[in-house]
């Protein structure tokens, strides 16, 4: 990754996709953004099946990066060796090589001819950012999963598949019950919530903060303060959130009915936990599920967008 992308990648909750998007769109660095839409476009262009293997993932990343324009236009549009006759004729299959044609054509409107209606190369301020956004839009709006609109595609002539490509059967959805602890405390006029940091090497949401997870047997027979369903990849999580009683000891003990303590189920010294001020939550990298829970329980304010701004 270029410099900005590498630096962004070190931030909690920032993966390859987000780092590449910010680096290219905000800083103009030539690093390819690869999401599901871009993957589909590249696989169809190359005539490859969508196989969930490391080799296919590597192929997609390499091809996406190879298509990334290094400059706004080839040679900056100022090379003296250019043929003047070619400068004035429309861009087409006989002139541009594959990488140039895709980079330029993807920036055009999908319903226009290859390369757009312009007859001369159009310089852009941020070639990397425009290319990435164009590739994602191409997959989202034209090269869609079912019934792709091939006749409207600006790179139809380059495509090997020209239609739907072979895709493996999706893994069946599974359901999983999970329980989380919502523990709040007052320190003067400040309210704090207990959060736990996910491992930096976690496959999903590394380094982000979430509510501490509770063993299912600890919450058996208890009434949650919130029930919510949350889906990630092929898993539907049936989430229950539990809050300790006001008089429950912070380090253990048993309730009046002989119940296991919720707080005791989260040994602070053994887990990477931290007390976070609720007014600082918007600046903390928390998971989407945690944000959903805290907003529904009014621990964290929902962000509001003013149409007048």
């Amino acid at each position: 990754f270029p410099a900005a992308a590498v630096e962004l990648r070190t931030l909690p909750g920032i993966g390859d996709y987000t780092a590449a998007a910010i680096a290219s769109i905000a800083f103009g660095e030539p690093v390819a953004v690869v999401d599901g839409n871009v993957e589909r476009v590249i696989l169809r262009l190359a005539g490859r099946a969508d196989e969930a293997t490391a080799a296919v993932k590597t192929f997609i990343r390499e091809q996406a990066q190879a298509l990334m324009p290094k400059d706004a236009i080839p040679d900056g549009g100022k090379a003296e060796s250019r043929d003047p006759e070619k400068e004035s004729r429309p861009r087409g299959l006989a002139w541009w090589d594959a990488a140039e044609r895709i980079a330029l054509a993807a920036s055009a409107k999908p319903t226009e001819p290859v390369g757009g209606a312009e007859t001369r190369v159009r310089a852009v301020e941020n070639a990397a950012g425009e290319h990435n956004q164009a590739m994602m839009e191409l997959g989202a709006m034209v090269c869609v999963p079912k019934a792709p609109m091939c006749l409207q595609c600006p790179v139809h002539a380059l495509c090997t598949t020209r239609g739907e490509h072979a895709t493996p059967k999706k893994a069946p959805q599974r359901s999983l019950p999970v329980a989380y602890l919502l523990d709040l405390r007052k320190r003067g006029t400040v309210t704090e919530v207990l959060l736990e940091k996910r491992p930096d090497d976690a496959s999903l949401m590394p380094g982000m903060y979430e509510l501490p997870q509770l063993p299912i047997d600890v919450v058996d027979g208890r009434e949650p303060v919130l029930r919510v369903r949350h889906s990630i990849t092929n898993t539907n999580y049936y989430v229950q959130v539990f809050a300790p009683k006001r008089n429950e000891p912070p380090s253990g003990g048993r309730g009046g009915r002989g119940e296991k303590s919720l707080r005791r189920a989260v040994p602070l010294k053994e887990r990477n936990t931290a007390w976070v001020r609720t007014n600082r939550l918007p600046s903390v990298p928390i998971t989407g599920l945690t944000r959903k829970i805290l907003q529904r329980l009014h621990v964290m304010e929902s962000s509001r967008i003013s149409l007048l701004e």
Side-chain angles (χ1 to χ4, degrees):
F1 274 17
V6 170
E7 188 173 349
L8 288 164
R9 187 64 181 84
T10 62
L11 298 175
I14 301 294
D16 291 346
Y17 167 79
T18 306
I22 297 173
S24 63
I25 297 172
F27 299 101
E29 290 195 343
V31 54
V33 173
V34 179
D35 65 356
N37 293 316
V38 174
E39 288 183 358
R40 185 167 57 255
V41 169
I42 291 176
L43 289 174
R44 286 176 175 172
L45 285 171
R48 297 278 296 259
D50 185 7
E51 299 173 344
T53 64
V56 170
K57 294 295 184 183
T58 299
F59 170 81
I60 292 172
R61 288 195 301 270
E62 290 176 348
Q63 293 301 310
Q65 190 59 44
L67 295 174
M68 174 60 57
K70 302 300 186 294
D71 298 298
I73 55 177
D75 297 330
K78 300 178 181 179
E80 296 180 359
S81 59
R82 289 232 174 169
D83 186 338
E85 294 183 1
K86 291 181 179 179
E87 286 284 358
S88 61
R89 77 187 191 188
R91 297 193 292 261
L93 301 179
W95 184 18
W96 304 101
D97 64 29
E100 291 171 339
R101 275 185 272 122
I102 291 177
L104 292 166
S107 298
K109 294 180 180 179
T111 55
E112 292 184 354
V114 173
E118 303 173 46
T119 59
R120 297 183 66 84
V121 178
R122 176 177 63 87
V124 296
E125 295 182 0
N126 182 356
E130 284 203 11
H131 174 78
N132 277 331
Q133 293 180 82
M135 288 291 286
M136 290 187 284
E137 285 296 302
L138 186 62
M141 305 299 292
V142 178
C143 195
V144 292
K146 298 294 183 182
M149 295 174 282
C150 296
L151 296 181
Q152 299 181 31
C153 181
V155 292
H156 175 265
L158 302 174
C159 186
T160 303
T161 305
R162 298 184 184 178
E164 296 180 25
H165 63 306
T167 56
K169 291 183 178 180
K170 292 184 178 180
Q173 287 289 115
R174 61 175 185 146
S175 299
L176 186 67
V178 289
Y180 290 96
L181 173 69
L182 176 65
D183 198 0
L184 300 170
R185 73 179 185 184
K186 278 283 190 181
R187 295 179 68 86
T189 60
V190 175
T191 302
E192 296 179 332
V193 59
L194 183 65
L195 298 179
E196 182 174 8
K197 185 180 180 183
R198 294 177 60 83
D200 292 331
D201 58 353
S203 58
L204 291 174
M205 300 165 290
M208 299 190 77
Y209 286 85
E210 62 184 357
L211 294 174
Q213 190 167 344
L214 294 166
I216 294 297
D217 63 326
V218 172
V219 300
D220 187 33
R222 291 178 180 262
E223 185 63 25
V225 295
L226 178 69
R227 288 186 175 92
V228 65
R229 192 172 73 173
H230 190 74
S231 296
I232 302 178
T233 61
N234 67 323
T235 304
N236 290 320
Y237 293 96
Y238 290 86
V239 181
Q240 297 185 86
V241 183
F242 297 86
K245 295 180 179 180
R246 290 177 179 267
N247 59 352
E248 186 173 287
S251 59
R254 293 181 177 273
R257 297 179 298 167
E259 302 171 319
K260 293 182 178 179
S261 168
L262 291 178
R263 289 192 174 113
R264 188 177 183 181
V266 183
L268 303 186
K269 294 182 180 180
E270 300 175 15
R271 294 166 68 167
N272 195 1
T273 57
W275 289 96
V276 178
R277 294 185 178 187
T278 55
N279 59 4
R280 290 191 60 246
L281 287 172
S283 63
V284 176
I286 59 178
T287 65
L289 173 59
T290 301
R291 178 175 284 101
K292 180 190 295 186
I293 292 171
L294 295 179
Q295 288 179 348
R296 292 195 180 185
L297 293 174
H298 305 290
V299 176
M300 179 181 181
E301 290 296 324
S302 301
S303 58
R304 294 179 174 86
I305 300 176
S306 175
L307 298 179
L308 300 177
E309 293 180 356

